[in-house]
Amino acid sequence: MTLAAISFVLLKTVVISVKKCKDFESSGQWYVTTENNGKQETTIFDAVMVCSGHHTDPYYPLESYPGIKQFKGKYFHSREYKNSDDYKGKRVVIVGMGNSAADIAVELSRTASQVFLSTRRGAWVISRVFDHGYPWDICFDTRFETFKRNSLLPMSIVSSLTEKKMNEWFCHANFGLQPVDRTQFKEPLLNDELPSRITCGFVLIKPPVSDFTETGVKFNDGSIEENIDVVIFATGYSFYFPFLDESVIKMEKNTVVLYKHIIPPTLEKPTLGIIGLIQPLGPIMPTSEMQARWLTRVFKGLCPFPPLTVVMDDIRKKHNSFTKRFGTTRENRLQVDFVEYVDELASDIGAKPNIFSMFLSDPLLAMALFFGPCTPTHFRLVGPGKWSPAREMILTTWDRIIKPTKTRVVNKGESTLSFVTKVLGALCVLAVIVAMFMYKY
Ligand SMILES: Cc1cc2nc3c(=O)[nH]c(=O)nc-3n(C[C@H](O)[C@H](O)[C@H](O)COP(=O)(O)OP(=O)(O)OC[C@H]3O[C@@H](n4cnc5c(N)ncnc54)[C@H](O)[C@@H]3O)c2cc1C
Ligand SMILES: NC(=O)c1ccc[n+]([C@@H]2O[C@H](COP(=O)([O-])OP(=O)(O)OC[C@H]3O[C@@H](n4cnc5c(N)ncnc54)[C@H](OP(=O)(O)O)[C@@H]3O)[C@@H](O)[C@H]2O)c1
């Protein structure tokens, strides 16, 4: 952050309320009340971006667990977990199968005498060292892969290809990890060590907890683990906007209705938006960056905000499509497809390159945009925030990603372009052209 920007930051200051000004229908302005050191202050702002996160309020469903009050061991939410120091020789049950549960299980498995990891739905576990050693999102979040998954292939084929890919590293069924619903996408667990800790017996995968005794935990397959010292509920988070009135944002079952996952649809003026209330199948930072670029342009009137009927229609259609793809569970309600989502926002603000016409003028770049990882630089080639080094950056993406690990220079040997590679290359080019027609690039 630059020095100039820091001067606008109010540290140790809590936003108490954000309310529409009396003349909101014409001005679109907001009264923002903040508190610092017990002193409250109200200021008028032309627009508000809410960036309060959605991983700060623990979801702690104790009421679902009979007997928990009688349980004599320690129990707490994963948010309170700090390190493994106090767990030497302990028998620990972890409830949940998100990334928090997996990380804590692996860490505790080095000090605790036994870790039990209880899951209702299971999960795909993938390695940080994905195809050819690249990170998984770099391989997964390309336009080609997105097009293949969402437009080209039927859902049943996508599901079986995904399943096959996920089981290449190890068989999830043999490890008790296989997701219950394999047709729906759920955020994968990025964990290199979990399978090996299971193999060594330090982590045991268990079905859902049914109830607690004074000293033990019962599971819904009838098994009981006795002498449990600690239970950690790694059951995720809820989100709230205590500073916003219900008339601005209405929460229902940990869900809110937002246009493009950003703006409450019924505002008379689109001058307030939420940034980061989203769970992309890919990186959150570039997603939030694109949301911020989109929202500031809506605030400035440079990106037209459609009438309410269009807005509600868009929300309905997206809701139906997301429900089919990601399901309706609590954790998946904010899920979106990374490339589709950032492309859509970039299109709205004129920052999405036209890959089809670029294929004719700059085929190398077009190929990188279609087959390569979708990075924020893709949205710096044209439109607002255009940046001249962007082309070079995009063409060198793969090399720059792997550079930190190439600390010893080795001769990989000459690669010979085989006939098969050439044929595959030609087929890919053909696929690009067809895809661009179908996907309207
Ligand atoms: C254990 C854990 C590990 C994670 N690891 C990763 C990871 O490896 N990679 C990844 O991409 N994501 C990870 N995440 C998700 C991560 O939380 C988000 O990617 C990231 O923090 C989102 O940033 P944000 O700025 O939107 O929200 P946050 O980082 O949550 O920031 C929101 C800020 O708003 C402040 N705030 C809230 N209400 C008010 C108010 N009324 N007044 C003033 N300030 C307020 C909060 O204090 C907080 O500082 C992890 C989450 C958890 C819980
Ligand atoms: N290393 C990392 O990158 C890292 C580490 C930690 C967190 N994070 C991120 O931070 C975010 C939060 O992660 P998280 O793991 O804390 O939460 P999460 O992803 O929401 O997972 C919570 C898990 O709790 C279980 N659960 C929910 N309600 C339950 C209930 N009523 N009873 C029993 N189990 C219940 C579910 O597991 P079941 O499937 O078994 O139902 C669910 O998968 C995620 O985006 C995550 O990727 C990242």
Side-chain angles (χ1 to χ4, degrees), residues 13-16 51-56 100 128 237 243 275-276 283-285 288:
T13 304
V14 180
V15 173
I16 303 292
C51 311
S52 48
H54 60 103
H55 292 132
T56 42
S100 296
R128 285 196 161 76
Y237 294 84
F243 45 87
I275 300 296
I284 178 85
M285 304 306 167
S288 298

Side-chain angles (χ1 to χ4, degrees), residues 318-352:
K318 299 251 171 62
H319 176 76
N320 293 343
S321 143
F322 291 150
T323 306
K324 257 192 226 151
R325 228 184 276 169
F326 304 119
T328 51
T329 60
R330 229 180 153 272
E331 302 83 45
N332 287 19
R333 282 190 193 138
L334 299 176
Q335 201 88 57
V336 294
D337 197 292
F338 171 70
V339 178
E340 263 186 8
Y341 182 66
V342 286
D343 261 356
E344 180 181 336
L345 296 184
S347 230
D348 289 353
I349 63 166
K352 181 172 173 285

Side-chain angles (χ1 to χ4, degrees), residues 54-55 59 61 64-65 77-78 95-101 103 118-123 128 186-188 190 234-237 279 330-331:
H54 60 103
H55 292 132
Y59 172 59
S64 316
Y65 294 102
H77 188 270
S78 58
V95 179
M97 182 61 88
N99 274 300
S100 296
D103 278 357
S118 154
T119 179
R120 299 173 307 176
R121 293 193 295 151
R128 285 196 161 76
K186 180 193 170 194
E187 188 185 29
L190 278 166
T235 39
Y237 294 84
Q279 195 78 49
R330 229 180 153 272
E331 302 83 45

Side-chain angles (χ1 to χ4, degrees), residues 12-30:
K12 297 187 179 167
T13 304
V14 180
V15 173
I16 303 292
S17 74
V18 177
K19 287 190 174 140
K20 290 176 183 173
C21 286
K22 289 198 181 78
D23 60 352
F24 183 81
E25 281 184 29
S26 57
S27 71
Q29 289 180 320
W30 298 88

